[in-house]
Amino acid sequence: MKKIIPELLFGGLALFGLSLIYRDIPGGAEIVTLVMVLLSTFYFPFGFIYLNEIPLGQIFLRNTYREISWPRRIGVPLSGMIFWSLTFGTLFKIRMLPGAGELLSVGIVFGSIILLVLIQRVIKSSNKSFYRRMLIRVSIFLLIGISAYFSN
């Protein structure tokens, strides 16, 4: 059985909610808000565990984190904060709330820095699979954030 990727599940639900908003069907805004808040909450506190693929039973064991390099210990939580910022900024932009531009700007600037670091890591690192997955994830979030920033 394949593992369900939470980003695809949340992304599909967000697109469903956006289609409801576009068609003026009640409940679309609530679905989008709920899904994007859940996604951003998922990434900010739990991003380190999820993105490093740490099993739930080993979260509190000291030996679990010895294999994780220090750039990953710093970069993954920062990436989680960037995903949080871009997700909330997009939500604020969809709901036309104040502060969307600031959240998206912070996410885009720091996301671009993380993207450059990830490109360098993909070229030079021996653990390319982790950095490729992160590169794809950051690129998708940046594209969504940039498109939300420049939309009306």
Side-chain angles (χ1 to χ4, degrees):
M1 186 171 175
K2 286 189 174 184
K3 189 168 97 173
I4 296 175
I5 301 173
E7 292 98 345
L8 294 178
L9 178 67
F10 287 133
L13 287 172
L15 286 175
F16 174 70
L18 285 174
S19 69
L20 291 178
I21 290 173
Y22 178 71
R23 295 177 185 182
D24 291 330
I25 298 174
E30 289 80 8
I31 290 173
V32 169
T33 303
L34 178 66
V35 167
M36 293 185 84
V37 166
L38 286 174
L39 181 63
S40 61
T41 305
F42 173 75
Y43 269 119
F44 187 44
F46 304 115
F48 183 77
I49 296 164
Y50 173 69
L51 296 173
N52 279 318
E53 297 177 348
I54 297 171
L56 290 177
Q58 298 179 356
I59 293 173
F60 299 110
L61 299 178
R62 189 177 297 177
N63 296 333
T64 304
Y65 303 102
R66 288 188 181 165
E67 298 174 8
I68 300 173
S69 64
W70 69 268
R72 278 176 65 174
R73 288 183 188 183
I74 295 170
V76 170
L78 287 177
S79 298
M81 286 187 242
I82 290 165
F83 297 156
W84 175 86
S85 174
L86 290 171
T87 305
F88 260 109
T90 304
L91 173 65
F92 278 30
K93 190 74 167 189
I94 291 169
R95 298 299 310 260
M96 296 179 209
L97 297 171
E102 291 83 1
L103 284 169
L104 288 170
S105 297
V106 168
I108 290 169
V109 168
F110 289 110
S112 300
I113 294 169
I114 293 286
L115 185 71
L116 293 174
V117 171
L118 284 171
I119 290 171
Q120 183 262 344
R121 287 280 175 180
V122 166
I123 293 170
K124 293 185 177 181
S125 178
S126 61
N127 187 8
K128 293 185 185 245
S129 65
F130 170 77
Y131 292 113
R132 281 187 185 151
R133 284 193 315 264
M134 283 299 294
L135 183 67
I136 292 169
R137 194 171 273 131
V138 169
S139 299
I140 290 171
F141 271 90
L142 273 176
L143 285 174
I144 292 170
I146 290 169
S147 63
Y149 184 80
F150 288 112
S151 69
N152 291 336

